[in-house]
Amino acid sequence: MNNLHTIQPQIPAEPSQPQASGGSAASLPHSRSPIRFLLLIGASVFAAELLIVVAFLFLPALPPLVEVLLDATALILIVSPVLYWFGFRPFVLEISEHQRAEEELKRLYQGTEQKVVDRTRALALSNEISRRLSGLLDQKQLISEVVEQVRSTFNYYHAHIYLYDPKHEHLVMSGGTGEAARAMLARGHRIEQGRGLVGRAGGTNAPVLVPDVSKDSGWLPNPLLPDTKAEVAVPIAIGGRVLGVLDVQHNVKEGLKQDDVELLQSIAFQVAIALQNARSFEQAQRQADREAFINTVTQRIQNTGDIEGVLQIAARELGQALGAQRATIQVGMTKLTDTRRS
């Protein structure tokens, strides 16, 4: 349990300051050079007045008031675009670029913060599962704990675990969440190796992620889980030996991503170790029970003084150990039978 694959948050590098379209602030010198800006205004006013004087040369004599109004109107029409283009517009562009840069930085910060929160939760779940699994030696309870923790912590639609049968030909469902899992367990739900996401993950010893199941031709729909939109299957393996598959489904399209794969791989590795420990314990327990049985029979036989008694004890103990209603031992022409009544 010490070899846990923990997930470290990966914080993206701080993005560089976005540049304004059409050039940086250095390409907008008029917004930063008052002298040049004033010179441009003066030149534009001079040019406007020159044009007005030339225009008045070709116009008939007008009343002084009309001339003043025409002069002011022409001056405004000529100078205003210059003021806008070289004065107001650069400031507007620069302010817009700063606002866009601030919004982008805010979005990146919020996204990074959410990733850190998700990774922290994933790490906490991984540690909690590791702690719980370390004390579990019952395979059924172990599987039940894992699927419930995984589904509830990250609000997945469904989670279940498949284990290989003794011939390593089928993946047999061994635990899951909700009514759908209970129904599948009751009917002995199993998947052939290589079929569907679960079969592919078990056969290749590699995770299989499908963010949108409608686009995967090899996906196997389950009528008991009609709302599945995304699915990931992760092998439960130690080295090259695959024990089973951890399968998670979500009812949100694109709701499962590579981050989920990394989290589930860490959990699947811990489950594999816990399963191996549980099986080793069960095997050791069976061996201990066999040795205790042999010692008991041996002791009783040693306390018996005749052959018939030895055979009677052997028949009775073997019948009880095998759960048989009748046990018979025949030596030569002699047959000794022990019949147990239920």
Side-chain angles (χ1 to χ4, degrees), residues 280-322:
S280 297
F281 174 79
E282 184 179 352
Q283 184 178 0
Q285 189 67 44
R286 286 199 301 266
Q287 181 65 27
D289 291 342
R290 283 196 296 267
E291 291 178 358
F293 169 74
I294 293 172
N295 290 335
T296 299
V297 174
T298 301
Q299 185 176 4
R300 290 180 179 177
I301 289 175
Q302 289 175 349
N303 294 332
T304 303
D306 58 89
I307 296 297
E308 185 176 348
V310 170
L311 296 177
Q312 287 285 359
I313 291 173
R316 182 173 62 251
E317 295 297 336
L318 286 173
Q320 291 176 352
L322 298 175

Side-chain angles (χ1 to χ4, degrees), residues 163-237:
L163 297 178
Y164 269 111
D165 61 10
K167 294 183 178 180
H168 215 77
E169 295 176 350
H170 294 84
L171 285 152
V172 182
M173 184 175 174
S174 302
T177 56
E179 291 295 332
R182 281 188 279 274
M184 286 188 282
L185 286 170
R187 72 185 188 194
H189 181 63
R190 60 177 58 203
I191 297 176
E192 293 180 9
Q193 180 169 276
R195 292 194 69 237
L197 274 60
V198 172
R200 282 155 54 188
T204 60
N205 193 13
V208 179
L209 170 64
V210 178
D212 184 356
V213 296
S214 64
K215 297 179 180 179
D216 190 284
S217 58
W219 178 70
L220 298 177
N222 189 328
L224 295 175
L225 299 169
D227 297 327
T228 298
K229 298 293 188 298
E231 185 174 354
V232 58
V234 178
I236 300 171

Side-chain angles (χ1 to χ4, degrees), residues 16 18 60 65 72 74 81 112 122 132 144 153 162 167 172 215 234 236 239 253 258 291-292 323 328 331 339 342:
S16 58
L65 181 59
T112 301
R132 293 196 178 196
S144 177
T153 301
Y162 291 83
K167 294 183 178 180
V172 182
K215 297 179 180 179
V234 178
I236 300 171
K253 188 180 295 185
Q258 187 60 35
E291 291 178 358
T328 301
V331 180
T339 303
S342 55

Side-chain angles (χ1 to χ4, degrees), residues 22-336:
S24 63
S27 65
L28 302 173
H30 308 295
S31 65
R32 299 182 182 275
S33 177
I35 296 176
R36 179 175 287 184
F37 179 56
L38 291 174
L39 289 175
L40 284 172
I41 292 177
S44 62
V45 171
F46 175 78
E49 286 294 342
L50 183 61
L51 290 173
I52 292 170
V53 170
V54 172
F56 279 152
L57 293 176
F58 296 95
L59 294 176
L62 297 172
L65 181 59
V66 174
E67 287 186 1
V68 171
L69 291 175
L70 287 175
D71 181 68
T73 302
L75 186 64
I76 292 173
L77 292 175
I78 295 173
V79 175
S80 294
V82 176
L83 291 176
Y84 169 77
W85 190 262
F86 294 101
F88 183 70
R89 180 176 175 274
F91 283 109
V92 172
L93 291 176
E94 191 171 355
I95 291 173
S96 299
E97 290 301 323
H98 279 300
Q99 289 177 342
R100 279 196 290 269
E102 289 177 359
E103 291 175 358
E104 179 68 13
L105 288 174
K106 183 178 179 181
R107 185 186 65 79
L108 288 174
Y109 173 77
Q110 291 175 343
T112 301
E113 188 178 44
Q114 185 60 44
K115 283 186 177 181
V116 171
V117 170
D118 291 343
R119 293 299 182 91
T120 302
R121 290 174 59 200
L123 182 59
L125 172 62
S126 180
N127 291 336
E128 176 64 16
I129 289 179
S130 176
R131 185 186 66 79
R132 293 196 178 196
L133 294 186
S134 62
L136 290 178
L137 293 173
D138 180 82
Q139 180 172 294
K140 186 176 180 180
Q141 184 183 359
L142 184 154
I143 292 173
S144 177
E145 285 274 352
V146 171
V147 293
E148 288 295 341
Q149 283 287 321
V150 169
R151 194 213 63 79
S152 62
T153 301
F154 292 95
N155 198 31
Y156 292 137
Y157 175 49
H158 188 75
H160 44 208
I161 286 178
Y162 291 83
L163 297 178
Y164 269 111
D165 61 10
K167 294 183 178 180
H168 215 77
E169 295 176 350
H170 294 84
L171 285 152
V172 182
M173 184 175 174
S174 302
T177 56
E179 291 295 332
R182 281 188 279 274
M184 286 188 282
L185 286 170
R187 72 185 188 194
H189 181 63
R190 60 177 58 203
I191 297 176
E192 293 180 9
Q193 180 169 276
R195 292 194 69 237
L197 274 60
V198 172
R200 282 155 54 188
T204 60
N205 193 13
V208 179
L209 170 64
V210 178
D212 184 356
V213 296
S214 64
K215 297 179 180 179
D216 190 284
S217 58
W219 178 70
L220 298 177
N222 189 328
L224 295 175
L225 299 169
D227 297 327
T228 298
K229 298 293 188 298
E231 185 174 354
V232 58
V234 178
I236 300 171
I238 298 179
R241 187 163 63 95
V242 181
L243 306 179
V245 173
L246 171 60
D247 183 74
V248 169
Q249 300 179 23
H250 211 318
N251 55 1
V252 178
K253 188 180 295 185
E254 306 289 341
L256 294 171
K257 304 183 182 299
Q258 187 60 35
D259 289 346
D260 297 279
V261 175
E262 295 174 5
L263 164 67
L264 296 173
Q265 280 183 302
S266 174
I267 294 173
F269 178 69
Q270 298 173 49
V271 173
I273 295 176
L275 283 173
Q276 183 173 261
N277 291 340
R279 290 176 178 180
S280 297
F281 174 79
E282 184 179 352
Q283 184 178 0
Q285 189 67 44
R286 286 199 301 266
Q287 181 65 27
D289 291 342
R290 283 196 296 267
E291 291 178 358
F293 169 74
I294 293 172
N295 290 335
T296 299
V297 174
T298 301
Q299 185 176 4
R300 290 180 179 177
I301 289 175
Q302 289 175 349
N303 294 332
T304 303
D306 58 89
I307 296 297
E308 185 176 348
V310 170
L311 296 177
Q312 287 285 359
I313 291 173
R316 182 173 62 251
E317 295 297 336
L318 286 173
Q320 291 176 352
L322 298 175
Q325 294 296 320
R326 180 173 179 172
T328 301
I329 296 178
Q330 184 171 345
V331 180
M333 301 299 295
T334 305
K335 181 189 293 186
L336 295 177

